[in-house]
Each structure stands twice: as C-alpha cells, then as structure tokens.
Amino acid sequence: MRIEDEIKQKKFKSEYQKMYINLVYTANRLNTQQMRMFKEFGLSVQQYNILRILRGQVPTAINLGLIQDRMLDKNSNASRLIEKLKIKKLVERKESKIDRRQVDIMITEKGLDLLKKMDGKVEEAELIDSNLTKQEAETLSDLLDKLRG
Amino acid sequence: MRIEDEIKQKKFKSEYQKMYINLVYTANRLNTQQMRMFKEFGLSVQQYNILRILRGQVPTAINLGLIQDRMLDKNSNASRLIEKLKIKKLVERKESKIDRRQVDIMITEKGLDLLKKMDGKVEEAELIDSNLTKQEAETLSDLLDKLRG
DNA sequence: TTAATTTATTTGTACTAACATATAATACAA
DNA sequence: TTGTATTATATGTTAGTACAAATAAATTAA
C-alpha cells in the first residue's frame, strides 16, 4: 500500500517530504513488528541488538562504550540495558584490567543459546517482510547511505 | 558514510539484513534530529505530527480515531498527546454532536501560528538533510512502499 | 425494549528513552 | 607531584510508548 493511503494524506509538500514521512512510517512499523517478535523471547529490540553485537565479538569481551558506538539506537541507555541482560544471565560484566573505569562485557552460553533459538525466526521475518529483490534491497541501502550524507 | 562504517559492522547475513539495519538506523537518526528541532518549540515529534494533521483539516474538526489512523506512529497514545496540546492551548477538544463517544479536535489560532513559525525550519531541515535528488527521493519512496507490501 | 456486543476514548501500569548530572578513574599540564 | 581536564560508566528525573483494562455510548439481536 502506498504511503498516501496508509496515512490517508493525498498531498505532500515535496518528494523529499513524502520520502521522509515514508521512511519514518516504515521504520516505525518494522520496529513494532520486531518488538513483538522479540517479546516472545523476553527481550526488547535494543537488548537483542546488544546481544548480537556481543556475539560478533566472541570470545573477546568488549567495553560498554564500544557497544554504544555500534548500537542502532545511540540514545538508548546501554548501561541499564546491560543490567537487564545480566539479571537474565545472558551477559557477564567485569571490570577491565587495563582501565578500571571500563566495564568489559561478554555474552554467556545462555545468551548464545537464546540467540541461536531466535536466529531462524528473525531471518525468516526479515526475508518475508521484505518484498524486495536482492537488487532492490541493495539500491534502497545505497540510497539510505546517500541520504545520511 | 556507509552503514558498515556507521555501526562498525563489516559483514551482514544478507543484503536484506543490511538494508533492514540501515533503515532502522537511518530512521532513528532522523527521529533524533527532528526531536531536537521540535524541542525548541516545546513539542515532541508526535505532538507536531498531530498538529500537522489538524492543520490539514482546517476548518473542520476531526475525531481522535481519525487522527490515530493518520499518525506515523500508530502506537503513541493520541488521547494523552491531545491532552498535552490542549494544556498548551494549541488545540480545542469538544464532544461530538453526532456521537457522544467521539471527541472532535481542532487546532487553535495559537496552534496555527506555532506551525507557521516552524514551517520554514522544518522544510529547510528536510531538504538540507536529504542529500538526494528529487528522482532518488522518489525511488526511495517507491522502494519503501514495496517493502511494506 | 432489554440485553449483549461493538466502538470511541480514557486511564493504569510497567517499561524505555532523553538528557542532565554524579561519580570515579585516568591523562595531562604546570 | 598536584591540581585540572577528560573519559567511562552509572544514576535521577521527566516524558513517552506499549498494552491491557475501564468506562461509557451506540448499535445490533432476541
């Protein structure tokens, strides 16, 4: 369905504005879908995001600042998110030996198991939701890069 | 900057996943920018969104359900957002004559003035932020429509 | 017409985000 | 070295989101 119909707005000030609104609207929808999927597994979108980042680093521990750099939502509070994950025993946290201000974080076996359980579903959702060809996905990605400048 | 560099992730499982991540990341950034801009004027993104919808209806009042339909973020709580706008005297709320369950909402003069003051800045931000040609903006919008299915 | 169902809106609650400030460790300069 | 600035993380606060449940009016069916 075209964005005009989704939000029942016929006219836009410009192509830019239309694209802009379309982008925000689409991302909101994807985000809501993701949230609902992750909820089954007891995770928020950002918690999942952090676990994925940590898995990419195994077997190395990574400090909180680096996690924040890699997060999709730079504004979410990594410190508190990690705390939640620790309570669920999905990550471990320990003081860095080099710099005592830093906290090194590592995903646990339990965390890895959870991600493994989720992988299939996540990939499926990403693929099914995306009604694009591989080429179109590439073009879209390139345009987004260009948009951000 | 390419998404790989933005989030320091070299590999993606697929073009789909990369596009997906890029979309969420880009929308988050736009959203943060918008939020900061609107804050100057004492509005949240969704409050602004509602005012814009109401301006589109002038001089007709529109009920809460219709506003919700047109909102970019369907999850935000229109009822409470309207309450905030009413406190600032940017909108008026009155019981519908046809159906007493419904609440008709209309933007006030003060609301229209505020939007007018904001128009220039908003448009400027949309244009400057977007490093795309008109044609590219159109393609991007079409791909997003297709993505949502 | 009365009871049951549906619809529109509000409200309660828990959780997350946004942002400022605090705390503590390290680096750097005088 | 000693004070000052900087950096890493944590925490307090306010507002917004997600979703369920409450309320109340309108619609439909018996």
Side-chain angles (χ1 to χ4, degrees):
Chain A
M1 201 195 256
R2 300 187 69 88
I3 185 70
E4 298 91 298
D5 304 316
E6 297 269 15
I7 63 165
K8 285 123 192 146
Q9 183 178 334
K10 296 283 157 274
K11 288 200 312 187
F12 296 87
K13 240 184 209 140
S14 65
E15 269 310 314
Y16 295 107
Q17 197 192 58
K18 183 172 158 184
M19 173 276 288
Y20 200 91
I21 287 174
N22 205 341
L23 184 54
V24 172
Y25 177 81
T26 305
N28 265 329
R29 243 196 31 187
L30 289 181
N31 202 48
T32 301
Q33 284 169 5
Q34 275 204 315
M35 181 183 305
R36 289 185 181 147
M37 178 172 59
F38 293 155
K39 203 169 192 178
E40 280 183 59
F41 300 96
L43 294 180
S44 71
V45 174
Q46 298 315 324
Q47 284 172 17
Y48 174 77
N49 190 207
I50 288 181
L51 286 183
R52 282 274 293 257
I53 291 166
L54 291 174
R55 177 165 66 178
Q57 298 298 316
V58 166
T60 313
I62 182 178
N63 71 60
L64 202 137
L66 290 176
I67 293 176
Q68 208 137 19
D69 275 356
R70 288 170 166 74
M71 285 185 72
L72 298 183
D73 181 353
K74 307 285 189 206
N75 294 314
S76 38
N77 193 324
S79 180
R80 275 193 265 243
L81 289 170
I82 296 284
E83 175 62 21
K84 294 278 168 68
L85 291 171
K86 198 195 149 200
I87 289 168
K88 294 178 222 166
K89 299 198 192 305
L90 300 172
V91 305
E92 275 170 1
R93 195 169 45 180
K94 60 174 183 243
E95 191 179 83
S96 161
K97 278 167 194 156
I98 330 152
D99 183 336
R100 282 196 341 210
R101 284 171 306 181
Q102 287 184 46
V103 186
D104 285 338
I105 295 135
M106 206 162 71
I107 190 168
T108 60
E109 273 304 318
K110 193 177 168 198
L112 288 170
D113 286 350
L114 178 59
L115 282 187
K116 204 157 207 169
K117 255 202 300 184
M118 296 173 74
D119 279 342
K121 263 201 170 166
V122 171
E123 210 167 338
E124 198 185 323
E126 279 173 0
L127 252 153
I128 291 180
D129 283 355
S130 161
N131 303 290
L132 304 180
T133 65
K134 200 180 153 196
Q135 178 57 53
E136 285 169 334
E138 230 174 294
T139 304
L140 180 46
S141 210
D142 288 343
L143 286 172
L144 292 169
D145 287 343
K146 186 154 185 246
L147 164 62
R148 284 196 317 278
Chain B
M1 201 194 254
R2 301 187 69 88
I3 186 69
E4 298 91 300
D5 303 316
E6 297 270 15
I7 63 166
K8 287 122 192 148
Q9 183 179 335
K10 297 283 156 273
K11 289 201 314 190
F12 296 88
K13 239 183 210 142
S14 65
E15 270 309 315
Y16 294 107
Q17 197 192 58
K18 183 172 157 186
M19 174 275 290
Y20 201 91
I21 287 174
N22 205 342
L23 183 55
V24 172
Y25 177 81
T26 306
N28 264 329
R29 246 199 27 186
L30 289 181
N31 202 49
T32 301
Q33 283 169 6
Q34 276 204 315
M35 183 181 305
R36 287 184 183 150
M37 178 173 57
F38 293 155
K39 204 169 194 179
E40 279 184 58
F41 300 95
L43 294 180
S44 70
V45 174
Q46 297 315 323
Q47 284 173 19
Y48 174 78
N49 190 206
I50 288 180
L51 286 183
R52 281 274 292 257
I53 291 167
L54 291 174
R55 177 165 65 177
Q57 298 299 316
V58 167
T60 314
I62 181 178
N63 70 61
L64 202 137
L66 290 176
I67 293 176
Q68 208 138 19
D69 275 355
R70 287 168 166 74
M71 285 184 72
L72 298 183
D73 180 352
K74 308 285 189 205
N75 294 314
S76 39
N77 195 323
S79 181
R80 276 193 263 243
L81 290 170
I82 296 284
E83 175 61 21
K84 294 278 170 68
L85 291 171
K86 199 196 149 199
I87 289 168
K88 294 178 225 168
K89 302 199 188 306
L90 301 171
V91 305
E92 276 171 359
R93 195 169 45 181
K94 59 173 182 243
E95 188 180 86
S96 161
K97 278 166 191 156
I98 331 153
D99 183 337
R100 285 200 339 219
R101 287 170 305 179
Q102 288 184 51
V103 186
D104 284 339
I105 294 136
M106 207 162 71
I107 190 167
T108 61
E109 273 305 318
K110 194 178 169 197
L112 287 170
D113 287 350
L114 179 59
L115 282 188
K116 204 157 206 169
K117 257 201 299 185
M118 297 174 73
D119 279 342
K121 263 201 170 165
V122 171
E123 211 167 337
E124 197 184 322
E126 279 173 0
L127 253 152
I128 291 180
D129 283 355
S130 161
N131 303 289
L132 304 181
T133 66
K134 200 179 154 197
Q135 179 56 54
E136 285 169 334
E138 230 175 294
T139 305
L140 180 45
S141 210
D142 288 343
L143 286 172
L144 291 169
D145 287 344
K146 187 156 184 243
L147 164 62
R148 284 195 316 279

